[in-house]
Amino acid sequence: MPATSASAPGKVILFGEHAVVYGQPAIAVPVNQVSAKAIITPLIAASPAAIQIEAPAIGLDANLDELSADDPIAVALAGAFAALSVEQPPAFKLRISSTIPVAAGLGSGAAVSVAIIRAVAGFLGRSLADKAVSDIAYEVEKLHHGTPSGIDNIVVTYGKPVYFIKNRQLDTLRVGAPFSLVIGDTGISSPTREAVGDLRTDWQADPKTYDSLFAAVGEVVQQARAAIESGATGALGPLLDANHGHLQAMGVSSPELDVLVAAARASGALGAKLSGGGRGGNMIALVEEPDADTVALALQSAGATNTIVFTVR
Ligand code: MEV
């Protein structure tokens, strides 16, 4: 069996994070400038089912049987073997690397899972339908943050812009005209599980207030979908701003995110918001393409540890 590799992109949520967990729609796009990669090489002399795992970025160098049963890598591998009906895989070494910052709202967990699942299938000379890949990655997402909507595994698996509603069939999103975004990283790691969990506690204490915030976000998402599909991209700026306001009201922004959002707007962005779980991680700004570098520099001056400029098509 030859060595095999697979990769998966990062993602940003353009509109609708958090409210999507409560049944509202959301829009997300892949970010191909960053990716997770899984490389599998056969271990010829080793006994069958011996699986070595190396993930230098997290200091992991272990055999699969040393990982706990609920380790995300173990669950991704077990899901892939089950979907492929493989009871005793041949011995192999799995090496995982990623340029997607962890706990930053860019879908790193989902991308690592998808890369692993596809690399296993490729190594075994098989293929898995996107739906099967995404479903396995969703099981891993549950370990990462308890009650995931499923949007991360969907956008990372399909690698195209999506309009997503939890537990509904995937709706693709036609991008009527390309538009440019700048991503700014606060450099603050913020596990999605915590922001999602805290918001759930707040929602349980005051469902009326939070349900109306989620519904307001749902309205924004519907308008954004219409603007993206019709190519009226200028309309997206105020919608990003409105969505950020709702996220602030939900308590999932942070001073650092608000500083970057304000810096983006002050330097010419058409609108900006936090993206993903919040409390840290990344924000996005909509820009006219010629202004992208100016906005990226302004974000860096305001404290962004990294910026990515990209175009959604
Ligand atoms: C995380 O990328 C997006 C959240 O809406 C959580 C989820 O959808 O599962 C915060």
Side-chain angles (χ1 to χ4, degrees):
M1 254 162 225
T4 311
S5 71
S7 17
K11 69 99 206 345
V12 280
I13 296 189
L14 300 188
F15 295 95
E17 55 275 270
H18 285 292
V20 68
V21 174
Y22 297 83
Q24 296 294 338
I27 293 172
V29 297
V31 179
N32 293 309
Q33 282 76 357
V34 287
S35 60
K37 187 170 187 186
I39 303 174
I40 296 186
T41 43
L43 286 177
I44 307 294
S47 55
I51 296 173
Q52 282 176 16
I53 301 162
E54 271 180 28
I58 54 166
L60 179 70
D61 185 353
N63 287 317
L64 177 58
D65 52 18
E66 292 169 317
L67 301 185
S68 67
D70 64 353
D71 180 279
I73 297 171
V75 173
L77 285 169
F81 296 145
L84 294 162
S85 309
V86 171
E87 271 170 30
Q88 203 179 50
F92 64 79
K93 181 165 109 182
L94 166 66
R95 187 180 166 88
I96 302 161
S97 58
S98 175
T99 56
I100 310 172
V102 176
L106 295 186
S108 125
V112 167
S113 300
V114 168
I116 292 173
I117 297 158
R118 288 203 171 125
V120 167
F123 176 67
L124 297 171
R126 307 272 300 278
S127 75
L128 279 172
D130 287 343
K131 164 115 179 42
V133 173
S134 179
D135 286 351
I136 302 167
Y138 181 64
E139 293 306 312
V140 186
E141 286 295 284
K142 287 187 191 163
L143 303 170
H144 285 303
H145 65 96
T147 56
S149 65
I151 191 166
D152 284 20
N153 46 285
I154 288 275
V155 67
V156 162
T157 300
Y158 289 85
K160 57 187 180 194
V162 296
Y163 174 87
F164 173 88
I165 300 177
K166 191 176 172 180
N167 298 332
R168 293 249 194 107
Q169 200 150 6
L170 177 63
D171 238 344
T172 53
L173 183 73
R174 203 183 61 81
V175 178
F179 54 95
S180 297
L181 295 173
V182 182
I183 303 176
D185 193 346
T186 60
I188 296 167
S189 134
S190 170
T192 305
R193 172 185 283 278
E194 286 170 22
V196 169
D198 290 351
L199 180 54
R200 182 164 295 275
T201 306
D202 292 344
W203 170 71
Q204 280 161 345
D206 184 1
K208 202 160 159 266
T209 299
Y210 287 90
D211 282 340
S212 74
L213 278 171
F214 300 151
V217 170
E219 280 293 311
V220 169
V221 178
Q222 302 288 9
Q223 291 174 38
R225 179 189 202 182
I228 291 171
E229 296 203 321
S230 67
T233 50
L236 296 175
L239 292 171
L240 288 168
D241 292 342
N243 197 161
H244 187 69
H246 297 319
L247 289 160
Q248 285 176 311
M250 287 175 210
V252 294
S253 192
S254 71
E256 296 82 0
L257 281 164
D258 291 343
V259 163
L260 294 187
V261 164
R265 290 175 187 154
S267 60
L270 305 172
K273 65 179 270 293
L274 72 85
S275 179
R279 299 269 175 83
N282 281 269
M283 49 71 67
I284 54 172
L286 177 73
V287 293
E288 302 278 17
E289 210 189 337
D291 299 335
D293 289 342
T294 310
V295 172
L297 279 175
L299 288 173
Q300 288 161 21
S301 304
T305 54
N306 190 31
T307 53
I308 298 172
V309 176
F310 75 111
T311 300
V312 179
R313 301 175 189 282

